[in-house]
Amino acid sequence: MGVRKGIQFALSPYYEAYTTEYGWRRARVVVIGYPLLFACTSGELTALLAHELAHCRNNDIRRSALVSHAQRILLNWCDLLDPIKDDDDEYHFSFIATLSRGIMRLLLWIPYHLLAVLIHLYWNQSQRAEYEADRMAAQLAGSQHLISLLQIIHMNDVVEPLIARHSLQKQSMTLGQHLNEAFSKLPEKEKMRIVRILERSQQSMDTTHPATHMRIAMLLHKDALPAYQISDWEYNQICQEMTDQLQEKMEHRIIDDYRAKLA
């Protein structure tokens, strides 16, 4: 992927994947959800890692951090300049109060509109970054594996019943094994059903991520064969490492979070 700096990896108890930075040195970390890890095949895991590493290579995380800091500064200025409205205060009806509120509203116009422009440009740039990361990931892992990954990311309705079963009943298999078995037997028509739902949804494009069905359409338009794929032996080694060292801790956290929601 051409990433020169070292990348750390971390697990999350949620069905997600993202890239972030932490610490004064801004160390880059690729976070993969424990349930998503076992839901992926070796080809889909290759596509997932390639997509997140593409964000690292393109410095998307650093850019997002800078924009987030600028947004917080502008939000603080908006809160500071927003006139306080207290109808019970006698000072509220005085000439000086009315004049000061008018001046503050004029000053508020500057950071408020700068914030609106910044958010709009950030959303536009963020969507471009997602398309570029998809393009780079497709070149490495293949378009079909990335499309399959985008489909299973939206299959919370398959993951949540499995977590519920493990939370309420004693199971002979681990949660990771159940997820691996369930997604390996998932019929192709179920994935197509997800695609049709995404196409019919009214998801707004004015977000940091483009609509998933549009990302899939872009990948279908530029079909690419996989240049590299994690082997089945490597994939099994990864799952075995997770099972041996982190299974009890992660699954205990996942089950506790689910039971907390029920409470």
Side-chain angles (χ1 to χ4, degrees):
M1 293 298 296
V3 180
R4 298 181 180 180
K5 292 185 178 180
I7 304 295
Q8 300 182 35
F9 291 86
L11 281 179
S12 164
Y14 307 109
Y15 194 67
E16 62 184 2
Y18 61 91
T19 304
T20 186
E21 292 183 332
Y22 79 98
W24 290 102
R25 296 186 177 181
R26 311 310 299 167
R28 296 178 180 181
V29 182
V30 174
V31 181
I32 301 175
Y34 182 86
L36 181 59
L37 175 65
F38 285 95
C40 291
T41 63
S42 57
E44 292 162 354
L45 182 59
T46 306
L48 173 61
L49 294 175
H51 178 88
E52 299 302 332
L53 290 175
H55 282 307
C56 295
R57 183 178 181 228
N58 297 334
N59 290 320
D60 294 331
I61 307 305
R62 187 68 50 82
R63 189 181 304 111
S64 298
L66 293 173
V67 172
S68 297
H69 288 312
Q71 287 180 352
R72 281 195 293 269
I73 292 172
L74 290 173
L75 281 171
N76 290 335
W77 274 104
C78 288
D79 291 338
L80 179 64
L81 295 173
D82 191 16
I84 300 175
K85 297 179 180 180
D86 188 0
D87 295 337
D88 295 332
D89 189 358
E90 295 180 359
Y91 176 76
H92 177 79
F93 300 98
S94 66
F95 173 76
I96 297 178
T98 303
L99 180 62
S100 62
R101 285 197 301 271
I103 295 174
M104 290 176 68
R105 285 195 179 95
L106 289 175
L107 294 175
L108 175 64
W109 186 90
I110 299 174
Y112 179 80
H113 286 82
L114 284 176
L115 180 63
V117 172
L118 181 63
I119 291 175
H120 179 74
L121 293 177
Y122 171 63
W123 282 341
N124 185 43
Q125 180 61 35
S126 181
Q127 290 181 14
R128 289 184 180 181
E130 289 299 323
Y131 281 124
E132 179 62 17
D134 285 344
R135 184 189 66 81
M136 295 175 65
Q139 288 179 346
L140 182 73
S143 299
Q144 293 304 318
H145 286 150
L146 184 55
I147 290 173
S148 180
L149 172 67
L150 292 174
Q151 292 169 343
I152 68 170
I153 284 176
H154 291 275
M155 292 187 178
N156 289 318
D157 54 346
V158 176
V159 177
E160 290 186 2
L162 287 175
I163 296 176
R165 200 178 309 157
H166 271 264
S167 302
L168 304 176
Q169 301 175 4
K170 188 175 181 180
Q171 302 294 322
S172 58
M173 292 191 298
T174 66
L175 177 60
Q177 291 171 338
H178 258 147
L179 286 167
N180 203 320
E181 181 183 35
F183 277 90
S184 63
K185 296 179 180 179
L186 197 68
E188 193 64 29
K189 64 180 181 180
E190 179 66 15
K191 293 184 178 181
M192 297 307 299
R193 183 184 71 86
I194 296 297
V195 174
R196 288 194 293 270
I197 292 175
L198 294 174
E199 289 175 350
R200 294 174 183 176
S201 67
Q202 299 297 320
Q203 181 179 358
S204 173
M205 283 294 294
D206 199 16
T207 58
T208 57
H209 282 66
T212 303
H213 71 273
M214 298 190 69
R215 296 169 66 182
I216 293 176
M218 186 271 290
L219 294 171
L220 290 173
H221 182 68
K222 298 181 179 180
D223 192 19
L225 297 175
Y228 174 79
Q229 180 177 330
I230 296 173
S231 66
D232 292 337
W233 181 84
E234 291 172 324
Y235 175 76
N236 291 331
Q237 287 293 106
I238 294 172
C239 293
Q240 189 64 40
E241 181 181 355
M242 297 300 106
T243 303
D244 293 342
Q245 299 184 22
L246 298 169
Q247 169 204 322
E248 184 177 355
K249 182 178 180 180
M250 293 302 301
E251 296 194 4
H252 182 73
R253 170 75 182 277
I254 293 170
I255 291 172
D256 280 353
D257 286 348
Y258 181 80
R259 289 174 178 173
K261 292 179 181 178
L262 294 180

